[in-house]
Amino acid sequence: MALAAKGGYEAVQMRAVSQEADVALGTIYRYFSSKDQLLIAGLDQLATDMADQLSKRPPAGDSAHERVSEVFRRSCALLEEEPLMAHAMVTALSTSDPSVAHQSHGVQDTLKSMIAKALDGESIDDIDGIVHVLGQVWFASMLAWVGGRAPSGAMAADLELASRLLLR
């Protein structure tokens, strides 16, 4: 993740990762067959860390959509702090490699867990569908932001709108 933060997707080369981590290249390949898998694993860890932070300091708000929006505001702010790393993750998420799809399910599960905790026990119909749509909105917003088609803050604004519309 440090390499991605410094130089983006192109900087994450398996040899560079092994040197940075002081681990044999073969060891890296034993666990990750591609840099996309490695970056998605990093995204999964980032999501897990964010979920831990949210457990320690739960999102505030009177309504479900306000609390869910707060989850996204904080998560988007974290990504916007490291634009090259965020770009690398979006590139990895965009791959057609089916082995990456399996790893990205962990990120989806963590997102679902964060949203469920933000709902604070409220009964919501089709939470899986809502999480799926919010994930799609987030991905599209990230794509626009990393591509320079949307300013900082646009991801959180898009997700706040989607949360409000879906969680009425």
Side-chain angles (χ1 to χ4, degrees), residues 2 12 14 17-18 33 59 73 105-106 109 117 123 130 150:
V12 181
M14 298 303 255
V17 170
S18 81
S33 64
R73 260 191 305 280
H105 291 306
D109 291 344
K117 286 179 183 173
S123 177
I130 289 171

mmCIF file of all heavy atoms in Angstrom, residues 2 12 14 17-18 33 59 73 105-106 109 117 123 130 150:
data_model
loop_
_atom_site.group_PDB
_atom_site.id
_atom_site.type_symbol
_atom_site.label_atom_id
_atom_site.label_comp_id
_atom_site.label_asym_id
_atom_site.label_seq_id
_atom_site.Cartn_x
_atom_site.Cartn_y
_atom_site.Cartn_z
ATOM 1 N N ALA A 2 2.027 1.151 0.646
ATOM 2 C CA ALA A 2 2.957 2.289 0.645
ATOM 3 C C ALA A 2 3.440 2.575 -0.771
ATOM 4 O O ALA A 2 3.552 3.739 -1.171
ATOM 5 C CB ALA A 2 4.137 2.014 1.571
ATOM 6 N N VAL A 12 3.319 -0.496 -8.101
ATOM 7 C CA VAL A 12 3.136 -1.767 -7.398
ATOM 8 C C VAL A 12 3.549 -2.902 -8.339
ATOM 9 O O VAL A 12 2.748 -3.438 -9.090
ATOM 10 C CB VAL A 12 1.687 -1.947 -6.910
ATOM 11 C CG1 VAL A 12 1.534 -3.261 -6.152
ATOM 12 C CG2 VAL A 12 1.268 -0.772 -6.045
ATOM 13 N N MET A 14 5.528 -6.653 -8.327
ATOM 14 C CA MET A 14 5.759 -7.717 -7.360
ATOM 15 C C MET A 14 7.199 -7.698 -6.828
ATOM 16 O O MET A 14 7.419 -7.893 -5.644
ATOM 17 C CB MET A 14 5.404 -9.075 -7.962
ATOM 18 C CG MET A 14 3.928 -9.188 -8.344
ATOM 19 S SD MET A 14 2.815 -8.874 -6.961
ATOM 20 C CE MET A 14 2.300 -10.533 -6.618
ATOM 21 N N VAL A 17 7.456 -4.921 -4.353
ATOM 22 C CA VAL A 17 6.755 -5.293 -3.121
ATOM 23 C C VAL A 17 7.638 -6.211 -2.279
ATOM 24 O O VAL A 17 7.767 -6.028 -1.062
ATOM 25 C CB VAL A 17 5.398 -5.966 -3.425
ATOM 26 C CG1 VAL A 17 4.782 -6.561 -2.164
ATOM 27 C CG2 VAL A 17 4.442 -4.974 -4.073
ATOM 28 N N SER A 18 8.260 -7.189 -2.930
ATOM 29 C CA SER A 18 9.110 -8.121 -2.172
ATOM 30 C C SER A 18 10.299 -7.373 -1.554
ATOM 31 O O SER A 18 10.678 -7.655 -0.420
ATOM 32 C CB SER A 18 9.572 -9.287 -3.046
ATOM 33 O OG SER A 18 10.658 -8.962 -3.850
ATOM 34 N N SER A 33 -1.210 -14.057 -6.777
ATOM 35 C CA SER A 33 -0.770 -14.373 -8.136
ATOM 36 C C SER A 33 -0.612 -13.125 -9.002
ATOM 37 O O SER A 33 -0.038 -13.195 -10.078
ATOM 38 C CB SER A 33 -1.741 -15.348 -8.797
ATOM 39 O OG SER A 33 -3.010 -14.755 -8.949
ATOM 40 N N PRO A 59 -20.763 5.919 13.977
ATOM 41 C CA PRO A 59 -21.292 7.091 13.278
ATOM 42 C C PRO A 59 -22.475 7.695 14.021
ATOM 43 O O PRO A 59 -23.282 6.978 14.610
ATOM 44 C CB PRO A 59 -21.712 6.537 11.919
ATOM 45 C CG PRO A 59 -21.916 5.082 12.138
ATOM 46 C CD PRO A 59 -20.978 4.685 13.240
ATOM 47 N N ARG A 73 -18.819 9.087 4.461
ATOM 48 C CA ARG A 73 -18.023 10.320 4.530
ATOM 49 C C ARG A 73 -16.634 10.027 5.089
ATOM 50 O O ARG A 73 -15.624 10.458 4.537
ATOM 51 C CB ARG A 73 -18.720 11.366 5.412
ATOM 52 C CG ARG A 73 -19.478 12.431 4.659
ATOM 53 C CD ARG A 73 -19.913 13.589 5.550
ATOM 54 N NE ARG A 73 -20.691 13.204 6.727
ATOM 55 C CZ ARG A 73 -21.991 12.922 6.703
ATOM 56 N NH1 ARG A 73 -22.674 12.968 5.582
ATOM 57 N NH2 ARG A 73 -22.613 12.588 7.809
ATOM 58 N N HIS A 105 -14.978 -9.991 -2.590
ATOM 59 C CA HIS A 105 -16.156 -10.309 -1.768
ATOM 60 C C HIS A 105 -15.909 -9.976 -0.299
ATOM 61 O O HIS A 105 -16.829 -9.603 0.420
ATOM 62 C CB HIS A 105 -16.559 -11.775 -1.923
ATOM 63 C CG HIS A 105 -17.104 -12.108 -3.273
ATOM 64 N ND1 HIS A 105 -18.156 -11.418 -3.851
ATOM 65 C CD2 HIS A 105 -16.722 -13.033 -4.176
ATOM 66 C CE1 HIS A 105 -18.408 -11.913 -5.046
ATOM 67 N NE2 HIS A 105 -17.542 -12.892 -5.279
ATOM 68 N N GLY A 106 -14.664 -10.098 0.151
ATOM 69 C CA GLY A 106 -14.345 -9.728 1.527
ATOM 70 C C GLY A 106 -14.582 -8.252 1.776
ATOM 71 O O GLY A 106 -15.097 -7.859 2.828
ATOM 72 N N ASP A 109 -18.286 -7.774 2.022
ATOM 73 C CA ASP A 109 -18.794 -8.238 3.321
ATOM 74 C C ASP A 109 -18.493 -7.223 4.425
ATOM 75 O O ASP A 109 -19.333 -6.989 5.301
ATOM 76 C CB ASP A 109 -18.189 -9.598 3.680
ATOM 77 C CG ASP A 109 -18.690 -10.719 2.785
ATOM 78 O OD1 ASP A 109 -19.711 -10.527 2.090
ATOM 79 O OD2 ASP A 109 -18.043 -11.794 2.776
ATOM 80 N N LYS A 117 -24.078 -2.138 11.041
ATOM 81 C CA LYS A 117 -23.841 -1.537 12.359
ATOM 82 C C LYS A 117 -24.351 -0.101 12.409
ATOM 83 O O LYS A 117 -24.868 0.345 13.425
ATOM 84 C CB LYS A 117 -22.364 -1.597 12.710
ATOM 85 C CG LYS A 117 -21.910 -2.995 13.081
ATOM 86 C CD LYS A 117 -20.445 -3.042 13.409
ATOM 87 C CE LYS A 117 -20.030 -4.475 13.697
ATOM 88 N NZ LYS A 117 -18.578 -4.604 13.867
ATOM 89 N N SER A 123 -34.781 -2.191 11.276
ATOM 90 C CA SER A 123 -35.144 -3.227 10.320
ATOM 91 C C SER A 123 -35.257 -2.598 8.927
ATOM 92 O O SER A 123 -36.051 -1.684 8.716
ATOM 93 C CB SER A 123 -36.485 -3.861 10.721
ATOM 94 O OG SER A 123 -36.852 -4.819 9.757
ATOM 95 N N ILE A 130 -29.565 -3.104 -0.988
ATOM 96 C CA ILE A 130 -29.151 -1.729 -0.697
ATOM 97 C C ILE A 130 -27.627 -1.629 -0.666
ATOM 98 O O ILE A 130 -27.051 -0.714 -1.260
ATOM 99 C CB ILE A 130 -29.781 -1.239 0.625
ATOM 100 C CG1 ILE A 130 -31.291 -1.030 0.421
ATOM 101 C CG2 ILE A 130 -29.121 0.038 1.124
ATOM 102 C CD1 ILE A 130 -32.072 -0.763 1.680
ATOM 103 N N ALA A 150 -14.567 14.366 -11.185
ATOM 104 C CA ALA A 150 -15.355 14.808 -10.027
ATOM 105 C C ALA A 150 -14.387 15.343 -8.976
ATOM 106 O O ALA A 150 -13.283 14.810 -8.823
ATOM 107 C CB ALA A 150 -16.165 13.639 -9.468
#
